[in-house]
Amino acid sequence: VEGAFAEMYGSDGGVGVRAGREALEAARRLRELSNATEKPAPNATRAPSPNAHAGNYRKATAGLADIALLIKAKLGLRAAWLDVGGWDTHQGQGTSERGRLAPLLEGLGQGLADFRKALGPHFGRTVVLVMSEFGRTIRENGTQGTDHGHGNCMLLLGGNVHGRKVYGNFPGLAEEQRYEGRDLAVTTDFRSIFAEVAQKHLGLSDLSQVLPDYPVTKSALLGVMR
């Protein structure tokens, strides 16, 4: 497959061709870094907890481990994106101890903790933003799960984050306070968080290049970054 892609992007010209070549080179460099990294002993495996969700945990930690390698190699990585699925808990969502959601949260938390440990001092120049494209409904449905909702939360961690607190306004759960009577209402536009990270961490002065339809004002920024 890699050979087919190399042939496809072998001809000259075009932004797409250059991007394809850069992606292939990044994959090759990542493979070299991974092979050069000391591997744990075959019997040095993590003991699964009662709520372990092995597939989700491996997916989250494998991607984060690759990103940590690239950051520590100082290859010029500015931003990385990782998709971890499995959060569509329409059935059997459960509690904080059992059900579908608990092991997902455990896997995410452990993956982020391992990422923090793997980066060491490099974590001070790194910001991690965790988000979903939609929330869940307030009420449980007929199959002990929740359906697609409106309001949600985001997590930020890193050396440049004003952490250990909750930002934003909680609108309340009374029916008249909900969005369309069923969902947690949105009080913070997610783009304001993106804008602050881009501005204060990445040093982007012209945010219109990143958020062309979102005029960034000082009042919209919550002060999540130093």
Side-chain angles (χ1 to χ4, degrees), residues 18-201:
R18 291 197 300 273
R21 289 175 179 170
E22 290 172 1
L24 289 169
E25 175 60 23
R28 184 193 66 77
R29 183 66 178 126
L30 180 59
R31 188 163 56 247
E32 289 179 352
L33 290 169
S34 182
N35 291 336
T37 302
E38 184 179 349
K39 299 296 190 297
N43 60 347
T45 56
R46 181 187 300 275
S49 71
N51 274 335
H53 190 285
N56 187 74
Y57 177 80
R58 282 195 300 270
K59 184 175 180 181
T61 54
L64 287 170
D66 287 343
I67 294 171
L69 276 174
L70 291 171
I71 292 173
K72 291 191 291 184
K74 298 181 180 180
L75 298 177
L77 180 69
R78 297 293 305 276
W81 171 75
L82 179 64
D83 178 26
V84 181
W87 299 83
D88 214 3
T89 53
H90 288 286
Q91 301 91 26
Q93 181 170 304
T95 66
S96 60
E97 297 179 352
R98 56 187 301 178
R100 292 184 58 198
L101 184 60
L104 289 167
L105 292 171
E106 183 181 2
L108 175 63
Q110 189 62 63
L112 291 171
D114 289 348
F115 181 68
R116 166 69 178 88
K117 184 177 180 180
L119 281 180
H122 297 280
F123 192 69
R125 61 187 182 94
T126 304
V127 170
V128 181
L129 194 157
V130 183
M131 67 170 294
S132 172
E133 70 268 36
F134 54 82
R136 312 302 300 181
T137 52
I138 292 173
R139 290 188 180 276
E140 183 180 291
N141 62 25
T143 56
Q144 298 181 324
T146 53
D147 298 319
H148 294 184
H150 201 65
N152 200 353
C153 66
M154 300 170 72
L155 306 176
L156 272 86
L157 58 155
N160 208 29
V161 174
H162 277 304
R164 299 182 182 274
K165 66 177 297 185
V166 178
Y167 290 87
N169 300 314
F170 180 63
L173 297 178
E175 188 169 355
E176 64 274 11
Q177 296 170 318
R178 303 175 198 166
Y179 177 75
E180 296 183 344
R182 69 190 290 270
D183 292 337
L184 184 68
V186 172
T187 61
T188 301
D189 192 312
F190 77 93
R191 291 173 295 183
S192 69
I193 306 298
F194 273 59
E196 191 166 349
V197 171
Q199 189 178 68
K200 296 184 180 179
H201 181 67

Side-chain angles (χ1 to χ4, degrees), residues 7-21:
E7 185 177 350
M8 182 185 304
Y9 291 109
S11 59
D12 293 332
V15 175
V17 170
R18 291 197 300 273
R21 289 175 179 170

